[in-house]
Amino acid sequence: MRRYFLRRVALVVALFLGVMFAANALAVALLAGRFGGGEHRRLRPFGWVLGIVLVFAFVAVVRAIRRMASPVGDVMEAADRVASGDYEARVQERGPRETRRLAGSFNAMAERLKANEVQRRNLLADVAHELRTPLSVIQGNAEGMLDGLYPMDRAHLEPLLEETKVMARLLDDLQTLSTAEAGALRLHPEPVDPAQLVDDAVAAFRTAADAAGLALEQRVAPGLPALEVDAVRVGQVLANLLSNAVRHTPSGGSVVVSAGPAPAATAVEFSVADTGPGIAPEVLPHVFDRFVRAADSGGAGLGLAIARSLVEAHHGTISVESKAGRGTTMRFELPTRHD
């Protein structure tokens, strides 16, 4: 395709050259016919000058076209490689500003396609890994009961039911995450008091915190404006953050859920701070990625990825601060209005 493109450019240049010289000859002929007699001899220098000017113009046009055509041909050749599945294809950013911009955009697109392909493969591998354990438990217990090794009683059937619930939760989380990332998640916004969101979240985890020996506190600034949000989805965000905080904070520690004015005047900031061991520095930049979890985590590593997607679906932002041995603070901001 690149050679075909360059041949077409060469053909256009040749046609342009022919038209220029034809125009030169026609102009000289017309001028000679107009002046008549021997006066046309005096036009010969003009013809030579016009010819030289046209030659220089042709050279300039050829150089300009070559500078643009060759980089465009590189992009076309690389595009063919990407279309065939080679996401490593890149082009050198050279030539005029427009072609450099084209090459830069192509390289960015190829890099994103490569990242998406890696993410897709990792996702498939992670889902297969997460489903393998519950399926193995179900298969092993079912075969044991069919072979008469285990009785078909409540004690042996309940573990099978629990494993099916694990798979159901995983599939529900994946569906929520995929629809949110695709921008297809349907929200049902309504005016909600930020204090009510905090109250509901703390009430839901009060029993778990007491059982773990944790002090669960809530701090809400007075006079916060109402938010136009989906209360169920925002509650899910707080639940995911609180679940992680309660799970990873040792007995005797504390978890604080706060709501207050954000640095941006038209937003409310929520935070969940714990006194746990913190997040390792090498893991911290990836905590909101899918299937990223601590070694002692009992979940599938989707909670924070879902939290980020739900916050972004509300046009908000989410961030994390953590230092080893000093706890972790999760923050997210939700705008009071959507422009």
Side-chain angles (χ1 to χ4, degrees):
M1 183 177 292
R2 182 175 185 273
R3 290 193 296 270
Y4 174 75
F5 173 74
L6 293 178
R7 285 198 299 268
R8 294 294 295 272
V9 171
L11 177 60
V12 171
V13 172
L15 290 175
F16 178 74
L17 176 64
V19 170
M20 284 198 304
F21 279 100
N24 179 26
L26 180 61
V28 173
L30 289 175
L31 289 173
R34 179 178 179 180
F35 287 99
E39 295 184 1
H40 72 277
R41 293 191 180 95
R42 290 180 295 176
L43 297 177
R44 290 178 179 175
F46 171 76
W48 283 105
V49 171
L50 181 59
I52 293 173
V53 170
L54 289 176
V55 168
F56 277 104
F58 168 73
V59 172
V61 170
V62 169
R63 291 187 62 184
I65 293 178
R66 183 178 179 182
R67 288 184 62 203
M68 180 172 292
S70 184
V72 171
D74 293 341
V75 173
M76 296 176 67
E77 183 177 1
D80 283 342
R81 292 173 57 190
V82 171
S84 62
D86 180 10
Y87 298 115
E88 299 290 341
R90 300 292 185 274
V91 293
Q92 182 181 359
E93 298 181 20
R94 60 191 180 95
R97 181 177 60 182
E98 293 78 7
T99 55
R100 292 199 305 269
R101 182 179 177 183
L102 173 64
S105 298
F106 175 86
N107 289 337
M109 178 198 69
E111 186 65 31
R112 178 167 295 184
L113 288 173
K114 177 184 175 182
N116 289 341
E117 178 65 15
V118 171
Q119 190 177 43
R120 182 186 67 84
R121 293 178 181 176
N122 291 340
L123 175 61
L124 291 176
D126 291 334
V127 170
H129 174 74
E130 293 296 329
L131 290 176
R132 185 176 294 111
T133 299
L135 284 174
S136 298
V137 173
I138 293 173
Q139 181 180 357
N141 281 273
E143 290 176 350
M145 286 186 285
L146 289 174
D147 293 339
L149 299 176
Y150 308 134
M152 293 186 185
D153 54 12
R154 186 181 186 88
H156 290 85
L157 290 174
E158 281 186 347
L160 302 186
L161 181 60
E162 289 301 319
E163 296 301 331
T164 61
K165 292 179 179 179
V166 170
M167 290 192 295
R169 285 195 298 269
L170 175 61
L171 295 176
D172 288 341
D173 288 346
L174 286 171
Q175 183 178 18
T176 300
L177 184 60
S178 62
T179 53
E181 289 181 345
L185 183 65
R186 297 187 61 181
L187 301 176
H188 303 281
E190 57 183 351
V192 180
D193 184 2
Q196 187 62 48
L197 293 171
V198 174
D199 287 340
D200 293 343
V202 170
F205 282 86
R206 178 70 65 185
T207 301
D210 291 342
L214 304 177
L216 182 57
E217 304 176 28
Q218 62 185 83
R219 301 172 186 173
V220 180
L224 291 177
L227 297 172
E228 192 75 17
V229 297
D230 187 325
V232 174
R233 294 302 186 181
V234 176
Q236 187 176 356
V237 174
L238 286 169
N240 286 345
L241 301 185
L242 265 170
S243 176
N244 284 341
V246 170
R247 184 185 303 118
H248 296 293
T249 303
S251 179
S254 64
V255 177
V256 180
V257 184
S258 305
T266 57
V268 173
E269 180 184 86
F270 296 85
S271 67
V272 177
D274 63 59
T275 57
I279 302 173
E282 64 272 13
V283 178
L284 192 60
H286 308 287
V287 292
F288 294 109
D289 294 344
R290 289 176 287 193
F291 296 104
V292 174
R293 58 184 180 181
D296 58 346
S297 176
L302 293 175
L304 293 181
I306 292 174
R308 179 181 63 178
S309 296
L310 294 179
V311 169
E312 292 176 350
H314 285 87
H315 308 285
T317 59
I318 189 169
S319 61
V320 57
E321 294 179 7
S322 183
K323 291 184 179 180
R326 297 186 180 181
T328 300
T329 300
M330 295 281 183
R331 292 189 176 90
F332 65 94
E333 296 181 11
L334 297 177
T336 55
R337 67 174 185 269
H338 300 160
D339 296 331

